[in-house]
């Protein structure tokens, strides 16, 4: 994450007003839209008990059920086991949200635009990860670029996302897990 820095998790109504949100889309029948809408209004995750790296994948699986992914998306390539140390549930949730943001951006860029893609990307700035601080401004620029069909902020984040994706595919494949698309 070279250009995008995550510094806060305070509610930012201005970002929602600028980017738009599909919170009203709950009940649409599309699980990705419903998860995104729920995440958009979810409180910031609470820290909770420390979770060792060896148990992080299992803990992440539970949290991942609340985070939307584009078709073919998985979290299997996140290298929890190699990270060492301990995580908290809020740290795991934030890593998953960043990873999901990257997957939706890559889906948009690669032309894998489902009807949900633009709507989920419009919600991303309201996800707990991106609320407040420099994170809110950075993701607002990225989403603005998406709406405009591309731009420097989206390209910079996608470069980080592409590098992470290559590592994740190699890791998931080596572990016998399903790599994300």
């Amino acid at each position: 994450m070279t250009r995008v820095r995550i510094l806060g998790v305070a509610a930012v109504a201005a970002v929602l007003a600028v980017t738009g949100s599909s919170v009203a889309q709950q009940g649409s029948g599309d699980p990705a839209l419903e998860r995104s809408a729920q995440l958009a209004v979810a409180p910031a995750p609470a820290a909770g008990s420390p979770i060792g790296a060896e148990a992080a994948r299992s803990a992440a699986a539970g949290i991942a059920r609340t985070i939307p992914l584009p078709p073919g998306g998985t979290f299997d390539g996140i290298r929890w086991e190699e990270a060492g140390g301990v995580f908290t549930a809020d740290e795991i949730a934030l890593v998953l949200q960043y990873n999901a943001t990257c997957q939706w951006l890559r889906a948009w860029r690669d032309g894998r635009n489902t009807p949900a893609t633009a709507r989920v990307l419009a919600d991303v700035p309201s996800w707990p990860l991106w609320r407040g601080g420099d994170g809110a401004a950075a993701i607002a620029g990225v989403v603005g670029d998406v709406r405009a069909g591309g731009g420097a902020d989206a390209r910079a984040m996608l470069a980080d996302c592409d590098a992470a994706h290559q590592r994740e595919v190699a890791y998931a494949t080596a572990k016998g897990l399903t790599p994300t698309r």
Side-chain angles (χ1 to χ4, degrees), residues 46-52 86-92:
S49 302
I51 302 165
V86 296
F87 301 94
T88 60
D90 65 327
E91 291 169 332
I92 290 171

Side-chain angles (χ1 to χ4, degrees), residues 94-116:
L94 297 179
V95 166
L96 294 173
Q97 288 175 41
Y98 183 85
N99 187 284
T101 300
C102 281
Q103 292 188 51
W104 284 104
L105 280 171
R106 286 187 305 96
W108 163 76
R109 189 250 345 258
D110 297 346
R112 295 182 284 126
N113 293 321
T114 68

Side-chain angles (χ1 to χ4, degrees), residues 4-171:
V4 180
R5 299 218 189 306
I6 304 158
L7 299 177
V9 286
V12 178
V15 173
L16 290 173
V18 169
T19 62
S21 173
S22 66
V23 172
Q25 303 299 331
Q26 280 184 315
S28 69
D30 183 326
L33 289 177
E34 290 177 7
R35 285 181 184 151
S36 184
Q38 290 166 357
L39 198 55
V41 297
S49 302
I51 302 165
E54 69 284 350
R57 183 169 302 282
S58 177
I63 296 167
R65 288 190 283 275
T66 67
I67 301 172
L69 290 175
T74 75
F75 293 118
D76 287 349
I78 298 175
R79 299 175 299 169
W80 302 109
E81 299 84 359
E82 290 185 358
V86 296
F87 301 94
T88 60
D90 65 327
E91 291 169 332
I92 290 171
L94 297 179
V95 166
L96 294 173
Q97 288 175 41
Y98 183 85
N99 187 284
T101 300
C102 281
Q103 292 188 51
W104 284 104
L105 280 171
R106 286 187 305 96
W108 163 76
R109 189 250 345 258
D110 297 346
R112 295 182 284 126
N113 293 321
T114 68
T117 303
R119 289 165 49 188
V120 170
L121 285 171
D123 277 350
V124 165
S126 60
W127 291 1
L129 166 68
W130 299 109
R131 293 181 197 148
D134 288 345
I139 199 64
V142 170
V143 171
D145 283 354
V146 167
R147 286 190 168 168
D153 290 334
R155 278 192 305 276
M157 186 166 180
L158 278 163
D160 289 339
C161 293
D162 287 340
H165 180 245
Q166 288 177 348
R167 290 187 302 270
E168 291 167 9
V169 167
Y171 185 75

